[in-house]
Amino acid sequence: MFDFVKIVSFAELFYINISRKFCAKLTSMGKKLTKRAEDYSKWYNELVVKADLAENSGVRGCMVIKPYGYAIWEKIQAQLDKMFKETGHENAYFPLFIPKSYLSKEASHVEGFAKECAVVTHYRLKNAEDGSGIIVDPEAKLEEELIVRPTSETIIWDTYRRWIQSYRDLPLLINQWANVVRWEMRTRLFLRTAEFLWQEGHTAHATEKEAVEEAVQMMNVYAEFAEEYMGVPVIKGTKTASERFAGALDTYCIEALMQDGKALQAGTSHFLGQNFAKAFDVKFANKEGKQEYVWATSWGVSTRLMGALIMTHSDDNGLVLPPKLAPIQVVIVPIYKGEEQLDAISERVAPLVKELRLKGISVKYDNRDTHKPGFKFNEYELKGVPVRLAIGQRDMDNNTYEVARRDTFEKETVSADSIIEKIEFLMDDMQKSIYNKALEHRESHITEVNSYEEFKEVLENKGGFISAHWDGSAETEELVKEETKATIRCIPIDAKEEVGVCMVTGKPSAKRVLFAKAY
């Protein structure tokens, strides 16, 4: 006579095994993302939407950042904010609206932003007399038009005039988390939108040396964040005169390389000299009692970092997120048949969830009964959750978990007794692994060339950063841009002195610069 209990147990194990295999198959189906090799731009646009990061809004050129995308931004913001405060900076907030006359006080600044400004001209609406709807009240015209901030240098320096009187008030180290508006006709989620979120630091110093040191320090802070937290290798450098921030004497930058061979400017830090201090009459009494203009910097990164994160690491199956910035670092998916099995799995998992959270690891136990395990596997792969644990009846019997890592798709069965240690190892190993993969890609896509023909051939067929001699003239820089759409991304900080000749004009050149097509 058959043992009925054994028959039921075998049937359940068979179900769990089939479910697990079916889940794995489903994971590779259903996302229907365009392949990167087919259309990189389309792949990116689809991924942002399908991974629930953001979507276009009812306002042309503006985006809605969805909860999952905003959770990543919050982690970016939290870590950067910590790093800013560790370097002595404080947060403040300044008005969204800037009087038009403020922008005109710094000529090169207004010239740089004039074509991107949104302007408020009236302060009231009213119902049309003919009943056709709401109209702008022509009687409510502002005496002075207001600019919706494209950046805050002018309003902040007008404020600093009241805050700074003496050398004792310096340095003044202020950061603002805010939104800005720069009118864009051709927009792309996270990379280029009319409104975006960012932080902008604005500092005032007693000496030129201190201000330059501040600008360099913040470039280094950005580079450390990009590499240590985002897993994105960057090249530190300075911008050419034509690529500098409007009103800056020097712009320091970090440049990253995306998988399609295009560069992305990931952060900038500007040495502003005394331009804004003179424009807004910001002086201080030095130790000898003499009046001097202060020296200034500004620096910022934006939600553009989200685009860099996506395009550096993600694959044809969805997002690949560095563990340090993943909103969910570990997801646990139960594979069960019936409420009794689910209850038993939930009881087994509860202490693990608690212990992981105590160790600072974000974990989600997905016990939804509205979705099958295969759907969940697919969802979390698409969303780039670094580590997935699956637990079914077989795992319950063997005191194990199935562990899958998102970056390499490797799976293994791990004892419950060592699961915490395994997860901690994976958090660290995956963070290093995705950085090294991105670094290897970048290093293999930096090409030295010595002629303009070679330059154009590499740009067309390989892409990436192209290291070439340049004669230092804006005319040559503009010619290359017009003919090839490549720009000088930066003059690398660590570029070695190397006497050569410009690839275009044959004129003398002291060092190589990095060209690339860019976002």
Side-chain angles (χ1 to χ4, degrees):
M1 206 164 93
F2 291 110
D3 187 330
F4 180 70
V5 175
K6 287 182 179 177
I7 293 173
V8 172
S9 178
F10 174 78
E12 287 177 343
L13 286 173
F14 178 76
Y15 168 80
I16 296 297
N17 193 42
I18 292 298
S19 293
R20 203 185 295 270
K21 289 180 179 177
F22 184 60
C23 289
K25 188 174 182 181
L26 269 179
T27 298
S28 63
M29 299 166 56
K31 290 185 287 290
K32 296 179 181 177
L33 279 176
T34 297
K35 304 293 184 187
R36 288 164 295 168
E38 293 173 9
D39 189 331
Y40 192 82
S41 179
K42 189 176 180 182
W43 164 81
Y44 173 83
N45 293 334
E46 288 177 357
L47 180 53
V48 170
V49 173
K50 291 187 177 185
D52 265 347
L53 299 179
E55 64 186 27
N56 290 306
S57 73
V59 182
R60 184 178 177 182
C62 295
M63 63 178 168
V64 174
I65 304 176
K66 300 182 78 173
Y68 192 65
Y70 199 80
I72 298 172
W73 174 244
E74 284 181 316
K75 296 201 82 167
I76 290 172
Q77 185 182 35
Q79 181 57 40
L80 280 170
D81 199 62
K82 180 174 181 286
M83 295 170 82
F84 296 159
K85 286 170 180 171
E86 286 172 350
T87 46
H89 301 87
E90 298 178 292
N91 288 331
Y93 187 79
F94 298 87
L96 173 67
F97 302 113
I98 300 171
K100 186 175 72 173
S101 60
Y102 284 26
L103 261 70
S104 63
K105 288 186 179 184
E106 215 294 327
S108 59
H109 187 67
V110 68
E111 185 180 346
F113 287 102
K115 295 179 181 179
E116 300 175 329
C117 288
V119 185
V120 180
T121 58
H122 292 73
Y123 60 86
R124 188 169 60 224
L125 302 174
K126 70 173 187 176
N127 287 313
E129 293 179 3
D130 61 3
S132 59
I134 294 175
I135 61 170
V136 174
D137 186 346
E139 301 298 317
K141 185 172 174 59
L142 292 170
E143 286 186 21
E144 180 177 5
E145 292 154 340
L146 297 173
I147 311 302
V148 183
R149 66 170 166 238
T151 182
S152 298
E153 275 79 4
T154 55
I155 191 71
I156 286 176
W157 279 91
D158 178 70
T159 305
Y160 282 3
R161 185 177 66 248
R162 299 188 293 275
W163 290 7
I164 299 170
Q165 305 298 325
S166 161
Y167 71 90
R168 295 183 183 89
D169 300 321
L170 299 173
L172 186 59
L173 308 175
I174 300 295
N175 176 63
Q176 171 177 239
W177 292 96
N179 61 336
V180 290
V181 172
R182 296 179 186 174
W183 216 254
E184 296 278 0
M185 300 306 293
R186 299 177 64 184
T187 60
R188 201 165 182 196
L189 294 171
F190 291 122
L191 297 174
R192 194 170 291 278
T193 50
E195 179 195 17
F196 55 90
L197 304 181
W198 80 343
Q199 61 73 212
E200 49 181 321
H202 298 272
T203 69
H205 304 266
T207 68
E208 178 180 8
K209 180 174 179 289
E210 287 179 16
V212 170
E213 287 174 351
E214 166 76 5
V216 172
Q217 172 186 245
M218 299 319 294
M219 172 191 66
N220 289 330
V221 166
Y222 289 151
E224 180 185 349
F225 173 76
E227 297 191 338
E228 296 295 324
Y229 291 87
M230 294 178 64
V232 176
V234 295
I235 293 173
K236 295 184 284 189
T238 56
K239 290 290 187 181
T240 63
S242 64
E243 292 285 331
R244 284 178 197 147
F245 176 74
L249 299 186
D250 250 324
T251 288
Y252 300 88
C253 63
I254 57 171
E255 294 285 331
L257 188 68
M258 304 299 98
Q259 292 179 63
D260 64 344
K262 285 186 179 179
L264 187 143
Q265 178 182 284
T268 51
S269 181
H270 316 290
F271 168 56
L272 302 175
Q274 295 175 310
N275 291 350
F276 285 93
K278 289 177 179 177
F280 290 90
D281 197 31
V282 184
K283 296 178 180 178
F284 72 102
N286 65 20
K287 291 181 180 180
E288 288 74 41
K290 182 182 176 182
Q291 290 288 310
E292 294 183 20
Y293 287 108
V294 300
W295 298 83
T297 79
S298 67
W299 30 272
V301 294
S302 72
T303 38
R304 189 177 176 85
L305 289 179
M306 296 282 289
L309 196 67
I310 296 161
M311 291 195 291
T312 300
H313 303 307
S314 301
D315 59 27
D316 292 341
N317 293 291
L319 292 176
V320 175
L321 295 177
K324 288 182 180 180
L325 295 181
I328 304 167
Q329 294 171 308
V330 178
V331 65
I332 305 172
V333 178
I335 301 175
Y336 62 94
K337 185 176 182 181
E339 287 298 319
E340 188 176 335
Q341 279 191 9
L342 177 59
D343 290 344
I345 291 172
S346 298
E347 187 177 344
R348 174 73 60 84
V349 164
L352 174 61
V353 171
K354 183 177 181 180
E355 191 170 351
L356 286 172
R357 286 175 177 163
L358 286 172
K359 289 181 175 290
I361 296 172
S362 59
V363 57
K364 177 176 181 178
Y365 175 50
D366 191 348
N367 61 351
R368 290 176 295 172
D369 60 6
T370 52
H371 296 84
K372 298 292 185 184
F375 178 92
K376 296 174 185 178
F377 281 20
N378 184 66
E379 178 184 15
Y380 296 117
E381 184 175 289
L382 180 63
K383 288 189 168 186
V385 175
V387 174
R388 185 190 73 225
L389 305 186
I391 178 170
Q393 189 57 50
R394 182 178 60 196
D395 301 295
M396 292 285 285
D397 295 340
N398 295 330
N399 196 33
T400 59
Y401 289 91
E402 180 188 82
V403 181
R405 57 186 285 171
R406 174 62 183 85
D407 60 335
T408 62
F409 300 106
E410 293 175 59
K411 287 193 289 186
E412 59 182 304
T413 300
V414 177
S415 167
D417 296 331
S418 57
I419 192 65
I420 296 284
E421 183 182 345
K422 182 65 177 180
I423 289 170
E424 289 180 319
F425 167 78
L426 287 175
M427 293 293 106
D428 185 55
D429 190 62
M430 290 178 67
Q431 188 77 31
K432 292 175 182 173
S433 178
I434 64 171
Y435 172 80
N436 289 333
K437 183 179 179 182
L439 180 62
E440 184 180 336
H441 171 77
R442 189 197 69 188
E443 292 302 290
S444 66
H445 285 80
I446 299 177
T447 308
E448 280 195 6
V449 301
N450 294 306
S451 72
Y452 196 28
E453 288 306 311
E454 188 184 3
F455 174 88
K456 288 188 272 193
E457 192 274 329
V458 171
L459 189 68
E460 180 67 25
N461 298 311
K462 182 181 179 182
F465 289 120
I466 303 178
S467 177
H469 279 286
W470 164 60
D471 63 16
S473 73
E475 292 76 18
T476 301
E477 186 178 5
E478 184 61 28
L479 175 68
V480 173
K481 183 177 179 180
E482 283 182 8
E483 292 186 350
T484 69
K485 296 183 179 177
T487 56
I488 297 176
R489 301 315 305 157
C490 70
I491 304 166
I493 294 290
D494 61 358
K496 63 180 183 291
E497 296 296 322
E498 178 190 327
V499 176
V501 295
C502 175
M503 66 171 179
V504 179
T505 65
K507 293 179 181 177
S509 165
K511 64 176 67 172
R512 292 177 181 270
V513 299
L514 289 181
F515 289 86
K517 290 183 179 179
Y519 285 97

